[in-house]
Amino acid sequence: MAKSLVIVESPSKAKTISKFLGKNFKVEASMGHVRDLPKSQLGIDIENNFAPRYITIRGKGAIIENLKKEAKDADKIFLATDPDREGEAISWHIAQLLNLNIEEPCRIEFHEITKNAVQTALKSPRSIDLNLVDAQQARRILDRLVGYKISPLLWKKIKRGLSAGRVQSVAARLICDREREIEAFVPEEYWSITVILSDEKNSGKFEAKFYGTKKDKVELKTKEDVDKILAALSEEYIIDKVKTGVKKRNPSPPFITSTLQQEASRKLGFTAKKTMLIAQQLYEGVEIKGEGSVGLITYIRTDSTRVANEAKAEVYKYIVEKFGKEYANPGANYASKKANVQDAHEAIRPTSIYRDPESIKDSLTPDQYKLYKLVWSRFIASQMAPAIYDTVSMDIVNNGYVFKASGSSIKFLGFMTVYVEGTDMQEEEEKTVPVLQEGTKLFLEELKPMQHFTQPPPRYTEASLIKELEEKGIGRPSTYAPTISTLLERGYVVKDKKTLKPTELGFIVTDVLKEYFSKIVDVKFTAEMEEQLDKIEEGQAKWYEVVQEFYKDFYKTLKIAEEQMEEIDIKEEVEVTDIECEFCGRNMVIKKGKFGKFLACPGFPECKNTKPLYEKVGVKCPKCGGEIVMKKSKKGRTYYGCENAPECDFILWDKPVEEKCPICGSLLVEKNTKNNTILKCSNPQCDYEKEVK
């Protein structure tokens, strides 16, 4: 009989923790939440201080009965759910179901699943933090009021299946507002003049850009402005000023939830949802050869960049051993200067820096390896010394006009030995400029006047939207991924390459909400609501008073909307194809479903024929001559197969091109590397490849 029962959320977490505890402990999983508001009704007593009515989640009956049985046989019960508001709420619900005294020390928390962390937590259990529970409860009730009051109205007035949400609707507004900025953007002409120069000692060609005069910067707006400058230039370019210096580039802090999602999007092409799914696996535990189930990274829902002293000491030792003392930065400190940061957690980091990605690669899936390597590399780099550059800048004069040249060269790589953060915008390459003396005469090698036009702001990507939500205080670490997923699933937004583009439906719903529920989609109001939830967590506000204050205005606007909102008839455009329905002969049409576009017979409901819609790649199948189309595997991986499958079994995992291998005649496929694209022979026995220019 187990003396102590430890309850966590997931079986993988239970398996990892069981390794650290002796035979006197039993670890069971609740499989996430056990109680929630009912799906079929509001579940909130508005007249009674917004009291929630929780019910057992369907399908959890057997799990709860098992927990009750194990609890009955245990001397002590420890609730070890995740260390955040949601985890605290799950523990509270479990305590209610098991009739535990929530004032007794039954709650333990740890931010990494390691032997030391778990055993230390067991030595200092605490009572359930009702402030955390209340903050989560307030968020849940606010979201339920918005969703269950506005969504039926959207169903009635616009289209069934629509939804509104406190964070979701603000995110949709940001995307729609950006698209309208792009549509309204009027490009403005401007010009630049670049000169390629060299000196008589042939120190190397370098470029300088037109600046203006010694007194002022001169804007070149038209060709006439440029022609005036060009006419005044002589052949004599003289170096007027030279400034040399040293520049430091500091490493980025270790990951928090939002930056992990952003960087995984930029560097790995992961969606926020995929990133969090894989990160959860790495946190809860992965089977490592020779070790068993191991939690590889610390808790993944955090907005703090703080690092524990023990982890700092370990990574300092590793850096000194691996790279040398000059590469270490023992004073690295990333204490957040932002307001509203919940500093209860650490940054996201490896649980042991000595468990390097290459040593455990065989135990991880390819995606787990990529994400773990990203976290591991970022954390090491964050504790390393800055990179150091030698810099040089020169003012070059020609008949009273000034051209500026600047460049840098790396002197000490520092953290860049391991990792460099990605960016949403394309960075200019560091240019090299020779260090020359003032008064040196330069020779013109090339003169390049160029016309440019200002560009509209870019559409949001998942990475840049998450960054915007975080900077504006919209949502919290746990909300970014589900928010974006909901926008895509509801059809408010589509992915255009890597960018988020609003659909007509997204514009319509956003405009309706702006007109009738302006506060719900107001960025400032939503950020202030997050601050109110933080005050509840800190014990500075009562949850039902915060909800009550919100509901007073919300109820009034809801009534006005119900009376005044007009019905909007959305007519979906139907794209007719030349593919005939094999049952009734009609031309099939393209429709959108939950999982994307598909072919359907327009004769529905008499004819219910549907079939997948595959994108052709313009290459013929070498086996049967059919078209090769893009498909998805059951796990969501893209592959390329013959349209005549299953009769024809030809498939490729890389995109084929029309060009054939000059050596063996097989199809060539595209492969993207870090710096370029190559064409490689699809025949595994052939080594032919070439770079795409």
Side-chain angles (χ1 to χ4, degrees), residues 370-388:
K370 289 174 188 174
L371 195 66
Y372 179 65
K373 186 176 181 181
L374 197 69
V375 172
W376 186 87
S377 302
R378 170 82 163 226
F379 178 60
I380 290 182
S382 75
Q383 304 299 306
M384 292 178 76
I388 299 174

Side-chain angles (χ1 to χ4, degrees), residues 323-387:
F323 303 101
K325 197 168 184 179
E326 68 274 20
Y327 282 85
N329 182 13
N333 182 17
Y334 297 102
S336 178
K337 296 182 177 126
K338 289 185 184 177
N340 304 324
V341 168
Q342 311 301 303
D343 203 41
H345 306 148
E346 280 190 67
I348 302 170
R349 61 168 175 82
T351 53
S352 172
I353 206 67
Y354 283 94
R355 200 176 279 115
D356 70 271
E358 301 309 317
S359 69
I360 59 173
K361 186 175 182 179
D362 290 346
S363 299
L364 304 178
T365 67
D367 286 341
Q368 287 173 342
Y369 166 74
K370 289 174 188 174
L371 195 66
Y372 179 65
K373 186 176 181 181
L374 197 69
V375 172
W376 186 87
S377 302
R378 170 82 163 226
F379 178 60
I380 290 182
S382 75
Q383 304 299 306
M384 292 178 76

Side-chain angles (χ1 to χ4, degrees), residues 12 276-286 294-297 300 365 368:
S12 57
M276 295 309 289
L277 181 68
I278 298 167
Q280 186 76 25
Q281 295 165 2
L282 297 175
Y283 164 68
E284 291 185 345
V286 178
V294 177
L296 294 175
I297 63 175
I300 57 171
T365 67
Q368 287 173 342

Side-chain angles (χ1 to χ4, degrees), residues 475-656:
R476 280 296 178 261
S478 60
T479 62
Y480 303 133
T483 294
I484 293 171
S485 293
T486 301
L487 293 177
L488 292 164
E489 287 164 8
R490 297 291 184 208
Y492 298 157
V493 171
V494 293
K495 282 269 188 83
D496 183 2
K497 295 179 181 175
K498 288 189 176 181
T499 63
L500 300 171
K501 182 180 180 182
T503 60
E504 183 187 0
L505 181 63
F507 277 124
I508 290 169
V509 172
T510 299
D511 288 345
V512 165
L513 293 177
K514 281 166 73 173
E515 183 176 355
Y516 293 99
F517 299 95
S518 56
K519 277 192 174 181
I520 296 298
V521 291
D522 181 73
V523 170
K524 186 179 178 184
F525 175 79
T526 307
E528 287 170 353
M529 186 56 67
E530 292 293 349
E531 291 173 7
Q532 290 299 310
L533 293 173
D534 291 342
K535 286 182 179 178
I536 296 169
E537 180 176 330
E538 293 156 9
Q540 297 175 12
K542 296 193 183 319
W543 75 264
Y544 54 84
E545 290 178 356
V546 171
V547 175
Q548 191 173 51
E549 187 65 28
F550 165 82
Y551 192 72
K552 279 192 299 187
D553 282 343
F554 178 67
Y555 179 76
K556 291 174 189 174
T557 55
L558 185 67
K559 288 299 171 189
I560 292 170
E562 287 173 343
E563 292 170 7
Q564 297 182 6
M565 190 186 293
E566 296 180 359
E567 289 190 20
I568 300 172
D569 183 22
I570 298 180
K571 292 181 179 178
E572 293 187 42
E573 291 184 15
V574 177
E575 187 179 341
V576 181
T577 71
D578 57 1
I579 301 170
E580 287 190 2
C581 172
E582 56 266 42
F583 298 116
C584 67
R586 296 181 177 94
N587 278 20
M588 300 190 84
V589 297
I590 297 173
K591 290 203 168 186
K592 287 181 183 176
K594 185 177 180 182
F595 302 104
K597 293 181 179 180
F598 64 95
L599 290 170
C601 181
F604 183 87
E606 294 83 15
C607 180
K608 298 179 180 178
N609 184 25
T610 63
K611 58 172 68 177
L613 177 66
Y614 296 125
E615 181 184 331
K616 295 179 181 179
V617 297
V619 179
K620 298 291 184 183
C621 172
K623 274 194 172 184
C624 70
E627 290 284 347
I628 294 179
V629 294
M630 186 170 71
K631 299 183 177 184
K632 292 274 187 183
S633 69
K634 287 182 180 178
K635 292 187 176 180
R637 186 179 170 190
T638 299
Y639 72 98
Y640 301 87
C642 182
E643 65 177 347
N644 295 326
E647 289 78 13
C648 179
D649 61 357
F650 179 79
I651 69 162
L652 291 169
W653 289 104
D654 297 298
K655 186 177 180 180

Side-chain angles (χ1 to χ4, degrees), residues 25 128 133 207 273 385 440 456 471 545 575 584 635 666 679:
F25 286 85
I128 289 175
V133 175
E207 69 175 40
K273 183 177 180 180
T440 300
E471 288 179 350
E545 290 178 356
E575 187 179 341
C584 67
K635 292 187 176 180
S666 300
L679 293 182

